[in-house]
Amino acid sequence: MNIASFLKGTKLLSGLSDGEISAIAAMTRIIEVPARHVLFEEGRTCDGFYALFSGRVKIFKQNESGKEQILHMAYPGETFAEAALFAGGRFPASAETMEESTLVFMPAGPFLERLHEDPKLCIELLSGVTTWLRKLVDLVEDLSLRDVQARLSAFLLRECRKRGFEPVAGASIPLRMRKADLARHLGTAGETLSRTFNKMSAEGILRVARDEVLILKPEELVRS
Amino acid sequence: MNIASFLKGTKLLSGLSDGEISAIAAMTRIIEVPARHVLFEEGRTCDGFYALFSGRVKIFKQNESGKEQILHMAYPGETFAEAALFAGGRFPASAETMEESTLVFMPAGPFLERLHEDPKLCIELLSGVTTWLRKLVDLVEDLSLRDVQARLSAFLLRECRKRGFEPVAGASIPLRMRKADLARHLGTAGETLSRTFNKMSAEGILRVARDEVLILKPEELVRS
DNA sequence: CGGCTACTTGACTGTGGTCAATTGGTGTGG
DNA sequence: CCACACCAATTGACCACAGTCAAGTAGCCG
């Protein structure tokens, strides 16, 4: 792969000039790892951040009894852990690959130096971190103020928009993850998610296939 | 009040030189508002951010049925809504004063201009936003992975450390807000908080007064 | 065909939310 | 100084959402 052109395709670095990109590309290291590989664990000192080239990575928290909350599911082209570089420099969550994956690793030191000289990069990073912030505020809203059905609805709507279309009847949404993981993403249990899908199917709001959801009544999704 | 010296006291701007500070101070506007005054509402376009000089401000989300989740309680010397300036420029939550308050308002336009020219300010901001991010990750962890007693324990421990001492037996922690608000902060109901305080008192972990909590068994707090 | 994993379904339980009544503390005014 | 009103906090009774455990089913791959 051509690292520079891949990096240019990430949202974080898309605003930079070719010169800036290649300066950054020169600092990186390519990492190829199998599925279920731990990239970093909550609390560890952050030594850099990642851009995902291929595969899939979950970023999550876990409590003592093993319950897991997925904060984010990263897909190719996304960067993650940028924010861990600042204010303490520890990872606030853990990350693990879900499939065999290829990543570009950006070491903290050189990147931070570069950051001090490059205000444009700095602003890009700022807006990247802000996007994370919004995502987390949404997650808090979901967990605290919505029941499971409403969370699932909100998730499906977000997935629609992420794919660039407004929710219309007949739209099909690929889930891109196992249902058990979707459950952990929504902060619930697999069994509860299964029942919620059932209930919504019975109400004619949607139809569930193995790995995709068919929207039948988009207006009902919006309402909850 | 002397705006420049107040601003220099905020974490966000403490790293800047006197010249930079006074350039920024010149852009601000002082706002004095009564209790229960709405500073901004979720979704509105962000026209600037705030530094709190005196009083108290809650930043929160609300759902249709009126349930409220407090994301942050701001005290004098803190800045908030900096992050809303970027990536869309809408407030992700609402803010309301809890007492009569005096604030310094920083308009978005001039500040963003200044930001492009001042990499140091940019880095400060970056680390400020990152701190917010960590706070929100903690909140998600609380809501999703801990029961009410564990959340309350975590809150008390955080309050201890914020005041600069490790939790020791006999330590007294001022709550600084009504119990109903603490409940909304912990993502629970006032009644449940009351019962939880009871239970922990009965177990000899702490003792509750009107507006402060006396820690009796710090090790039990850490354990949950 | 057998075995594995993901998912579903059923039965039960518990945490915590809601509603309503009560207590207690504080400040006001007679 | 007491009576009253007001608000915050508490307590009690009830209930619902969702988590857990266990068994069963379906789909997939060797």
Side-chain angles (χ1 to χ4, degrees), chain A residues 116-188:
Chain A
H116 283 84
E117 298 154 11
D118 192 337
K120 211 181 343 169
L121 176 58
C122 203
I123 303 254
E124 291 293 333
L125 196 50
L126 210 35
S127 98
V129 176
T130 307
T131 307
W132 274 96
L133 202 57
R134 281 165 206 279
K135 218 178 135 57
L136 278 173
V137 171
D138 283 347
L139 185 54
V140 168
E141 182 177 16
D142 272 11
L143 292 172
S144 172
L145 303 175
R146 299 212 254 246
D147 62 21
V148 173
Q149 174 161 350
R151 280 179 235 170
L152 177 54
S153 299
F155 169 82
L156 293 172
L157 292 176
R158 261 178 256 138
E159 282 295 305
C160 266
R161 305 220 165 91
K162 216 189 277 180
R163 272 131 211 300
F165 55 89
E166 285 303 298
V168 289
S172 150
I173 304 171
L175 289 181
R176 302 194 291 177
M177 56 181 116
R178 290 182 323 203
K179 296 216 176 65
D181 287 318
L182 176 54
R184 279 189 276 269
H185 192 36
L186 298 177
T188 187

Side-chain angles (χ1 to χ4, degrees), chain B residues 63-91:
Chain B
N63 67 4
E64 320 73 53
S65 52
K67 191 184 169 191
E68 183 180 303
Q69 171 68 50
I70 296 182
L71 301 179
H72 181 69
M73 194 65 83
Y75 295 98
E78 293 183 37
T79 51
F80 56 91
E82 319 90 306
L85 296 169
F86 304 91
R90 295 181 178 277
F91 293 111

